Each structure stands twice: as C-alpha cells, then as structure tokens.
Amino acid sequence: MSEYQALGGRIFTKPFMVLSVIFAISLYFMFDRFVIGGMGAVSNLNGGFAWGIWVVYDVVIGTAFACGGYALAIAVYVFNKGQYHPLVRPAILASLLGYALGGFGAFFDMGRFWQFYEIFLPWNWNFNSVMLEVGLCVAIYILVLAMEFSPALLEKLGKKKLLKSLNKVLFLFIALGILLPSMHQSSLGSLLIAMGHKVNPLWQVMQMQPLLALMTAILMGFSIVLFEASTVTVGFKRNSETHILSGLGKIIVGLLIAFLVVRFGVLTFQGKLGLIFAGDFASFMFILETILFVIPLVILLSPERRAQGSKLLIAGVCMLLAGSLYRFDAFLLTFNPGPGYNYFPSVPEIMITLGVVAFELMAYIVIVKLLPVMHREEHA
Amino acid sequence: MKRRDFLKTSLGGTVTAAAALGGTVCSGTAQARPNLEPAPEAVGMLFDSTLCVGCKACVTKCKQVNEMPPVIEGDHIAWDSARDLSGDTLNVIKVYQNGDRSTKDVEIDGFCFEKRSCMHCVDPGCVSVCPTTSMQRNPITGIVTHHPDTCIGCRNCMVGCPYNVPQFQYNEVFGQINKCQMCNQKGVERIDNGQMTGCAEVCPTGATLFGPRKLLLQEAKQRMALKKGDTYNYPRGDISKPDNYYEKEVPDYKQHIWGEKEAGGTNVMHISAVSFDKLGMPPLGERSAPSVVEGVQHALYSYLALPAMALAGLTYTVKKNTSDHDDDDGGES
Ligand code: SF4
Ligand code: SF4
Ligand code: SF4
C-alpha cells in the first residue's frame, strides 16, 4: 500500500470557480496576443523595457517559487534527511506546475513563438549565451520533474511493474533534478551581468550574480515548502506538520546568514555600501528587501517561535517576498535602460500573468484530490 | 544533538558550496577573455554633432534603404516624426535643448543634434547574449547583422545592448527584431558593393561620415586637436574618397571620442561640443559586459566538465541515500 493518498472531495468548489473565471479572462487576452494584435496590443513592453512581468514574474520569480522540489531533494537525498521525505511529493508537484507554467510564460513572451524550436537546434547554439543555458536547462528540467512525479500517476493507474522499474532508475532523475536547477537558477542571475549599467549598482554585482541568484533560489525553495505545507495543513484540515517544518526553519536560518554575509560582503568589497543610504528609490527598495530578509531570520532563530505554525508561516511569507523583491528590484523596479523609457504592466498583461497563476493553482488542487500526492497522516 | 549536527552540516555545506562556486567563477573571470579587438577591416561612421543641422535626410534615406514606412504624427505628413528607434525606425536624430535654446553646440541656453542608430560595437552585447546566434558580427568588417530566420524573439539582445538599439515590432503578431545593419544586409549589401551607408551618402554636411574605423578614429583625433575658432576643411561622404570638402569654423569640442574605448569601443563613433551624458549616452566603463559574462559562463560550463563532475557526485550520493531509505521504509523512494 502506498504511503500517499489522494485527498478526494469535490473538485468544483467555490475557490476553484473563482480561479477558473480569472483563467477565462486571461484566455481572451491570450487570443489577442497570439491572433489579433500581437504583444504590443496587450502589453506595455517597449524599446527600453523589453522584459516586463511575463519574464520577470512568470519565469524569473515563478521558477524560484517552484524550487521547493529542488531544495527538498538537496535536504533528503544529499544530506540524507529522511524525515522530510513526506514533503517531497507535493513539493515535486508544485515544482512541476511552477516550471511548466514558467515555460509557458516564456513561450508567451517569445516574440517569434512560431519558431521557438530554433533554440533546440544544436547548429544554432551560441555557447556564450546565458539565455541558451537557461532555455535548454529549464526545458530538460521540466521533463525530469515529470519523471520524478510520474510514480504518483503510475500508482493511481496501478501499473505496478512499470513503477518498479522506474523506481530502479529514479535516482538518476533525482540527481539531475538537483544539478539542473543549480545550473539555470544561477544563470538567471548571470542574465543580469550582460545588462551592465542598466542594472542598479546595488544589484549589479557582476561575477557574483550567479551565486546570489542560486542562494535566493534555494532559500525560496525551502520557504515555499514551509508555506505550502502550512497552508495545506490549514486549507485541507490535515494534522499539523509543524514538527517537521521547524527543522526546515533551521536550514533557512543557516542559508539566510550565508546569503546576507555574501551580499553585504560583496557590496563592501565593491565599495557600494554608501549607496544603501543614498535616500533614493533604489536605496529604499534595498532597505525594504533587507528588512524582509531579516524578519524570518529573527523569527526562526528562536526554538519556541520555530515550533509555532503561525510564526513559521509568517517567516515563510516574508522570505518569499524578500526573494521575489530581490529579483523584481534587479530586473524591473530599479532597472534603468536610459532616458525616455518607462514601464508599468498593463491590465491585460497582469491579467495574463494572473490567469497563468490561477491555472497553476487549479491544476494543483485537482491533482492532489485525484492522485496520491499527500503523505498519509501519521496517526491514521 | 542530531538536529544541531544538521544545522552545522547544512551551514557548512552551503558555505563550502558557495565558496567553491564563488572561487570557480572568480578564477574563471580572472582568466576571462579581454575585450574583443576591432575587426581587421572594421568599417564604421563618425558622427560629428557640431556639423549636424537636424535636416533628417539620413532618417528618410534610412527608411528608403530598409523599406520601412515613415512614422506620421498628426497632420505632419511632410516629414518622418519618429522620436526614437522602433521596429520600423533604425535611425533617428534627437535634439538636445537647454534654457532659451539660442546657441548651437553649447550646453547652457543651447541646443544640438545627436544621431541614434546601432553603434556596431567592437564587443557587441547583442551578439554575446543571443541564444540562437541570430546576431552576428562580421569577422572582417565588424558589421553587426541580424538574422530573423533563427530568432526566437526572446529580446535578450534588446536588454543586452547598452544603447537599446535592437527593436522588436511589438505591434505585429508575427513581428521581428530590427536594427541598423550598416546597410549591408542581404539584398542591400551597399558596403560589399563598394558604396557607403545610406545615411552618410545623403548627409549634406558630413556630420555622418562613412569609412574604415582606423581612418575615422584618426580624423576624430585630429579634430580634437584643432583650436576653437580656427577653420578646418571638413570632408563629406566616405573618408577614404571624400566627394567634397567644405570649410567651417572649429567648434569647442569636448575632448572625448565616444566609441574609442567605451565598453570595448564601437565602429560608429561620436564627437560633440556637448557632453555625452547630456546627449543620453549610457554610463559605460572600458570593460565590456560580454567579456565578463562570457568569463563566468565558460568557467562554469566549458565542455560541461563541472556539470558532469557534479552529476557524477550527485548520482553517487543520491543512489546511496535512496537505498538507505529503502531499508528504512520498505521499498519506496
Ligand atoms: S549598439 Fe547594440 S545592437 Fe548595435 S552592435 Fe552594439 S550591442 Fe549590438
Ligand atoms: S530576440 Fe532574437 S536576436 Fe535577439 S537575442 Fe533573442 S533570439 Fe537573439
Ligand atoms: S547605416 Fe544604413 S541602416 Fe544604418 S542608420 Fe545609416 S542608413 Fe540606416
């Protein structure tokens, strides 16, 4: 008998219907974008801001949100922390959906979507390009996640034999599932290097971009697990998993300290500390970001607070906000292509992004109800 | 006790991994490639802002050569009203104005004109970032061309260009990236046919001067050395075979040849009597961004050596740890 269970229950609940309405609205704008007016008709993208929320939210931040599977895989399979094993499968599902929709976002944003396959043709490859690494690596990782998640489907279908042979080689996919995100998540940081002066000096740390990007990815990965596990516990009225989660809190503390040391170390080394107190918009955003990074640190440092579900949730949320803001600030909010260019996302642009997120949540809800994803409650 | 160990290992692990990654990247960039050198027979243009009268003949000619429609604003159908580069505009003349705008080529209470088109960088960001090699720098002439047949429209070239030159046709469902290709794209090939660029050909004052980068740089340096108020014989057209010269009083040049060194230099260079930050040029150092990012990429990914090693290590560890779990909890991994 599997140690996982489908949650069951009605699918067409009220939240589900609300989400489907949002998704339906976004379909209308997608039609406009792909068939009638092109990207200009639905977005405020322009010559200076070629990347808006579709790239920065759907891909750059969305995939960081989808790093739960990656972060847990490191804890469980590299550091051999079996106690987190129950969290792995739901996290893999969230990662699969997050990355698949990130991939969809990238396709959506692709100016010449009808020849997207050109990036997969080896004779076109430019090995100097960070974008090439990101594109290929994310595409392969989506397949790897699908393999990692497939046991849930096979269990449901009762394909015992297939499941057995898959389990024999699964370790290979798990290893790839740790390597690939390490590669493309750090590359998302490297994308900033080529943008040179357009990236604000507080975020333009040149060679150190990949390291900071990778650290925030892992941090956000653990935080999303914290967040998802605590909301699922509440939302689906399951027993509290706080005893497992408080351990995750500890890992986050270690990572957070390391991140802050590296970040401030780099800024000190590059002589940019003064910019933090310049009193302009960028310095304000930097301080806000730092506060959001420090709040979870303060919460999670104390063992008592770590044992409280609500505190864990706050810490997780702050951490996710901090990590998202870090990427938003660098890619968009303090991004300055030069005089004459402004960007604020248009309503259709935002609706499309919301539609994508709504679809992701709907898929998650349906799948955990139909497939054995959630761990059986221990006392059951 | 066990948990404290875990904290230690995870912290230790992170620090080691961070140090390893940081170390690799830093050592990689220490031996990173320097900026690219100008192509052996690099051609380019010299734009002298003090000679430009703002007639926009070059804007119109550029549209003709590239078969692009003029931008019409209001009732002004007599001229092209394009204000900035776009998917349908590869060249614009912008105006700098200050105070009462009474004097040409001074910063206070003055005005002057500035050309915006592809700078044909010596170490072009657009070429470095493009995943599908759809931006190419000609190894002989240094001309940077775009090849839409392989372009996926990711627009990394737009954000990776220090001057925001490549522009996407946002208002078309099947749009493409456009940029100045020095009038040498397939089907136009003015340079290959021994002609000069369209914009230089029609420029009445020689403000846009075509020619080999070496000669243009020489000419720019010569103008820097002139004394304000003297007269100088300015060539027009192609500097290697000017069709005529004309005499003009020497303006008060800023001692700065934009494109001699900026981010590795450019083949299209600018000189002016108004400082370049006022003309909207970006704050660039001498090191090109592509030289930095390519150092990082190659340190991490050359021959996929590091990823392969990492994968081997991970496979071993994961295999070991999954069989541990198998023993613990009965066959599930
Ligand atoms: S100015 Fe921009 S588009 Fe032109 S070569 Fe340089 S990087 Fe490329
Ligand atoms: S938009 Fe096209 S040319 Fe520009 S970087 Fe992407 S693939 Fe290359
Ligand atoms: S070189 Fe040709 S394409 Fe470029 S700005 Fe001049 S006329 Fe236009």
Side-chain angles (χ1 to χ4, degrees), chain A residues 40 77 109 115 124 128-129 198, chain B residues 129 133 155 161 170 298 321:
Chain A
Y77 300 110
D109 185 79
Q115 42 187 46
N124 286 340
N128 296 327
S129 165
K198 299 181 189 179
Chain B
V129 298
T133 328
R155 306 191 302 292
C161 166
Y170 287 114
H298 289 233
N321 288 338

Side-chain angles (χ1 to χ4, degrees), chain B residues 238-292:
Chain B
D238 181 342
I239 192 165
S240 47
K241 41 178 194 262
D243 36 28
N244 52 39
Y245 288 87
Y246 78 107
E247 269 192 4
K248 192 187 154 287
E249 197 184 301
V250 172
D252 188 9
Y253 282 118
K254 287 268 180 284
Q255 292 298 309
H256 185 174
I257 303 170
W258 184 281
E260 184 185 5
K261 299 212 174 88
E262 277 73 17
T266 53
N267 293 335
V268 174
M269 293 169 286
H270 287 209
I271 55 178
S272 163
V274 172
S275 64
F276 285 109
D277 55 331
K278 295 202 165 54
L279 298 183
M281 282 301 200
L284 295 179
E286 291 191 7
R287 180 92 190 259
S288 77
S291 71
V292 178

Side-chain angles (χ1 to χ4, degrees), chain B residues 81-96:
Chain B
S81 301
R83 284 163 187 267
D84 218 324
L85 301 183
S86 73
D88 298 324
T89 303
L90 312 185
N91 175 34
V92 283
I93 296 297
K94 294 192 146 193
V95 57
Y96 164 81

Side-chain angles (χ1 to χ4, degrees), chain B residues 106 217 225 238:
Chain B
V106 298
L217 189 56
D238 181 342

Side-chain angles (χ1 to χ4, degrees), chain B residues 111 122 188 204 209 216-217 316:
Chain B
F111 71 98
V122 170
V188 177
L209 187 64
L216 293 171
L217 189 56
Y316 172 79

